Amino acid sequence: MSEKTRTPIGKIVAASLIGTTIEWYDFFLYGSAAALVFPALFFPESDPLTGTLLAFLTYAVGFVARPLGALVFGHYGDRLGRKKLLVISLLLMGGATFLIGCLPTHAAIGAAAPLLLTALRLVQGFALGGEWGGAVLIVSEHGDTARRGFWASWPQAGAPGGNLLATAVLAVLAAVQSDEAFQSWGWRVPFLLSGVLVLLGLWIRLSISESPIFQQAVANAKPSQSMPIVEVFRYHWRDVITAIGARFAENVSYYVLTAFVLVYATTEAGLAKPVVLNAVLIGSAVHFFSIPLWGALSDKLGRRPVYLLGAAGVGLWSFAFFPLIDTRNFAALTLAVTVGLILHGAMYGPQAAFFSELFATRMRYSGVSIGAQLASIVAGGLAPLIAVALLGAYNSSFPVMLYVAGAAVLTLITVFVSRETRGRDLATLGDAENSTAR
């Protein structure tokens, strides 16, 4: 691709960031609704805690679908290109979210309501499983080696950006509506808003160019090469394990900090929903800006040192997180969420560059996606469910603290034994046969 037709890195970053923000908005909106309204609307025959567990179970179903999305999108992303698959993932995610906003509740159609809700959640998970890998790769493969951690961290900022947007919309609605109005129809508004956001994201994503490194790899590819996923597990199985272990604490801590906190703070600490939403809103805003800073720091110090700092930090902070919430003080609650998310950013910021630098180009979309999304099933997908179950079984937050700390230990061990990837040339990280020797 000539320099005239190659999209500037700033526009690539903007397109990726806006697209991921919209997709994460859709995904996180479901998590917030699962904590706040879905138990009563779709599982009304259960007691409050059981209803919340059932709502989070449908929430976890989305994570189960993510590895399937990673397989399908990874395969075609490595064959057809990053851009095409990013457009498809955006349409799937936005369509499913819009339809959730149109769903009749249990009061209208009975048991069919939670079944339809679960089906749409599966579509969300499938789409997001393919979205993440393509979004971080199209930036990583356009950017330069020296600043890859910084540039690639911006799509990562789409996660708090989406959470910020979803929480902000819910907070505004909760503030201007009565609980009855919000429960009756107000909760649908943020889901329906997704249709407008998808049109914006689609317009932006269609305007960018394909990854030049991918195009070079396609031009040099041999017709006899195996399917990308086969080559991933043949030559990069150690890197897949590295990605799974590295993602574990990052995923568990994030969903405890942003999803389970809505349950714990409202039911155990007795705080009002708007108060908790505002605290998450402030924390997500700080998180958004901290992620690129951590990514830039990883360009200076390396991916591993920054990642290790984040894993150790969230593990230790879990023991302060719940006591701060128990004070029932808004400032303490906000501090608990914000510091936790800043420490999470030390893992999430370098993660895109770190994972991109593990895999060869012709199997990079598959490798990055599979490694990240396999972890999402047992880490992020189950985190709110496990946290609620532990709280219900022991009537204490201490087991949840141990759960987060245990996840942090697993990630610390994984990243500590891995090799530093900073400075690798993605264009020449091509021979799978050589990758086994790394």
Side-chain angles (χ1 to χ4, degrees), residues 76-375:
Y76 288 103
D78 282 327
R79 289 293 175 88
L80 304 178
R82 294 29 171 149
K83 176 182 172 179
K84 294 183 180 69
L85 276 297
L86 284 174
V87 169
I88 294 171
S89 69
L90 185 63
L91 289 173
L92 279 176
M93 175 67 87
T97 306
F98 183 84
L99 289 175
I100 289 173
C102 301
L103 275 182
T105 63
H106 189 281
I109 60 172
L115 290 176
L116 289 171
L117 181 68
T118 302
L120 291 173
R121 180 60 174 174
L122 282 167
V123 176
Q124 279 192 324
F126 179 81
L128 193 63
E131 155 73 19
W132 184 81
V136 299
L137 289 188
I138 203 163
V139 175
S140 294
E141 294 177 346
H142 269 89
D144 60 277
T145 303
R147 293 180 294 174
R148 184 179 298 127
F150 173 70
W151 292 125
S153 67
W154 280 104
Q156 300 289 79
N163 197 23
L164 184 66
L165 187 59
T167 306
V169 172
L170 287 170
V172 169
L173 289 172
V176 302
Q177 291 182 313
S178 65
D179 286 345
E180 291 76 17
F182 183 74
Q183 198 88 354
S184 175
W185 60 269
W187 68 271
R188 297 182 183 274
V189 174
F191 287 92
L192 298 175
L193 180 62
S194 177
V196 178
L197 296 176
V198 165
L199 292 177
L200 171 64
L202 192 62
W203 172 69
I204 294 171
R205 283 198 167 171
L206 287 172
S207 69
I208 63 174
S209 61
E210 182 55 83
S211 156
I213 291 178
F214 169 77
Q215 291 180 322
Q216 178 186 332
V218 169
N220 298 334
K222 301 174 183 177
S224 60
Q225 286 177 347
S226 304
M227 292 174 59
I229 189 60
V230 173
E231 293 198 329
V232 166
F233 285 106
R234 179 182 298 166
Y235 300 113
H236 285 281
W237 62 269
R238 291 183 182 87
D239 298 318
V240 171
I241 293 174
T242 296
I244 292 172
R247 190 155 164 81
F248 211 87
E250 175 268 305
N251 232 208
V252 167
S253 63
Y254 189 73
Y255 291 104
V256 168
L257 290 166
T258 59
F260 176 68
V261 69
L262 298 176
V263 175
Y264 185 84
T266 55
T267 61
E268 297 300 310
L271 293 165
K273 291 177 184 177
V275 172
V276 185
L277 287 170
N278 286 335
V280 175
L281 195 68
I282 294 170
S284 294
V286 176
H287 192 213
F288 179 89
F289 291 104
S290 73
I291 287 174
L293 297 177
W294 289 118
L297 188 62
S298 77
D299 286 328
K300 303 294 184 182
L301 303 181
R303 317 300 181 214
R304 290 174 68 251
V306 178
Y307 213 108
L308 289 169
L309 173 64
V314 295
L316 294 172
W317 187 248
S318 66
F319 294 98
F321 180 72
F322 293 101
L324 284 169
I325 297 174
D326 291 338
T327 65
R328 296 177 172 82
N329 178 274
F330 175 71
L333 169 65
T334 304
L335 178 67
V337 174
T338 302
V339 173
L341 288 175
I342 290 173
L343 293 169
H344 171 272
M347 292 182 284
Y348 207 53
Q351 188 180 93
F354 182 27
F355 289 7
S356 298
E357 292 159 347
L358 293 173
F359 300 94
T361 301
R362 66 175 180 265
M363 63 198 80
R364 186 171 291 132
Y365 201 143
S366 296
V368 165
S369 298
I370 290 298
Q373 302 312 331
L374 283 177

Side-chain angles (χ1 to χ4, degrees), residues 20-35:
T20 53
T21 298
I22 293 169
E23 296 229 19
W24 282 112
Y25 165 83
D26 293 344
F27 202 75
F28 287 136
L29 184 60
Y30 190 103
S32 297

Side-chain angles (χ1 to χ4, degrees), residues 387-398:
V388 170
L390 288 171
L391 181 64
Y394 296 96
N395 196 29
S396 169
S397 60
F398 189 70

